[in-house]
Amino acid sequence: MPANHDHHKVVIVGAGAAGIATAASLIARDPSLDIALIDPADVHYYQPGWTMVGAGVFQAPSTARPMQSVIPRGVRWIQAHVQGFDPSGQTVLLAGGRAISYEQLVVCPGLKLDWQAIDGLAQTLGRNGVTSNYRYDLAPYTWQLVRSLKQGRALFTQPPMPIKCAGAPQKALYLACDYWRQNGRLGQVKASFCTAGNVLFGVS
Ligand SMILES: Cc1cc2nc3c(=O)[nH]c(=O)nc-3n(C[C@H](O)[C@H](O)[C@H](O)COP(=O)(O)OP(=O)(O)OC[C@H]3O[C@@H](n4cnc5c(N)ncnc54)[C@H](O)[C@@H]3O)c2cc1C
């Protein structure tokens, strides 16, 4: 095997919720299993917590942990960006040219948020009263807007699938309205929910 080539029985690409949960479950069943988790990120985020950050229930830093601290004991973390796959050679290719071969591969690099799909959105996010709970740095701004709005129109939107957590846009609406209700503002604040879907919930 060449010097820049490594082998693991199980290789997992992405150490988000899916990658960490899969590794933890496998190693719990067989502690001798040779598992490598590949992820370039220094920080692991608990994304569902961002809904609570946007509602003032959590502080943003409580949703972030050093990546090393969430890697299950006995699992090897390779801090690198996967750049390509070679299925016939049972190998993943890392940025920088290193190759890692496997017996079993789990691929879970998450969803890439496509802010550019809406004209002008990227330029106005985080100011002008435009926010999103789908970003760690913006969820606190959601809470700032909720607290400061005394009257006027509050627009909540949900794009078409696929999105992660179909409930998150609705939860932002309910939590914000609850705050305005408790503070006697609901009515002066008029909230609308605009969804690209035909129905509110996927399951009737
Ligand atoms: C605001 C919000 C609220 C939510 N609420 C809920 C909820 O209430 N309940 C619920 O079940 N779910 C909820 N979710 C959804 C849930 O958080 C996601 O479904 C989950 O985090 C997805 O996990 P994942 O591992 O697939 O992706 P992620 O957690 O996004 O992790 C992907 C990982 O892959 C890594 N990666 C990316 N590209 C590469 C590459 N090329 N090479 C190596 N690594 C790579 C990234 O660095 C990252 O660490 C919510 C999400 C959001 C944003």
Side-chain angles (χ1 to χ4, degrees), residues 14 16-18 38-41 47-48 51 81-82 109-110 133-134 164-165 168 171:
I38 310 176
D39 196 311
Q47 297 175 25
T51 297
H81 186 100
V82 171
N133 282 347
Y134 277 73
K164 46 187 166 186
C165 193
K171 283 185 250 174

Side-chain angles (χ1 to χ4, degrees), residues 117-176:
I118 301 172
D119 281 346
L121 178 59
Q123 295 89 310
T124 196
L125 265 176
R127 50 206 158 123
N128 309 317
V130 183
T131 188
S132 173
N133 282 347
Y134 277 73
R135 251 175 50 187
Y136 174 79
D137 59 322
L138 292 178
Y141 184 51
T142 304
W143 176 228
Q144 187 185 320
L145 294 177
V146 169
R147 265 179 309 164
S148 61
L149 191 64
K150 303 281 189 295
Q151 59 179 5
R153 189 142 187 235
L155 213 55
F156 294 80
T157 66
Q158 177 171 317
M161 294 292 153
I163 65 169
K164 46 187 166 186
C165 193
Q170 283 184 52
K171 283 185 250 174
L173 167 79
Y174 301 142
L175 289 164

Side-chain angles (χ1 to χ4, degrees), residues 12-20 38-52 67 78 80-85 94 108-111 113 132-135 139 163-169 171:
I12 302 175
V13 178
I20 294 291
I38 310 176
D39 196 311
D42 293 317
V43 178
H44 173 97
Y45 293 102
Y46 175 58
Q47 297 175 25
W50 298 345
T51 297
M52 310 310 273
M67 183 62 87
I78 299 171
H81 186 100
V82 171
Q83 207 162 45
F85 296 90
L94 308 186
C108 39
L111 288 186
L113 301 178
S132 173
N133 282 347
Y134 277 73
R135 251 175 50 187
I163 65 169
K164 46 187 166 186
C165 193
K171 283 185 250 174

Side-chain angles (χ1 to χ4, degrees), residues 12 23-24 27 33 35-37 68 71-77:
I12 302 175
I27 204 88
L33 204 56
I35 306 174
L37 258 171
Q68 183 68 68
I71 303 288
R73 189 167 302 136
V75 172
R76 170 137 182 248
W77 173 32

Side-chain angles (χ1 to χ4, degrees), residues 1 11 13 15 50 57 67-68 80 89-90 92 99 102 127 132 154 168 180 191 194 198:
M1 203 177 282
V11 165
V13 178
W50 298 345
V57 180
M67 183 62 87
Q68 183 68 68
Q90 301 210 185
V92 296
Y102 55 81
R127 50 206 158 123
S132 173
W180 294 322
C194 306
N198 299 324

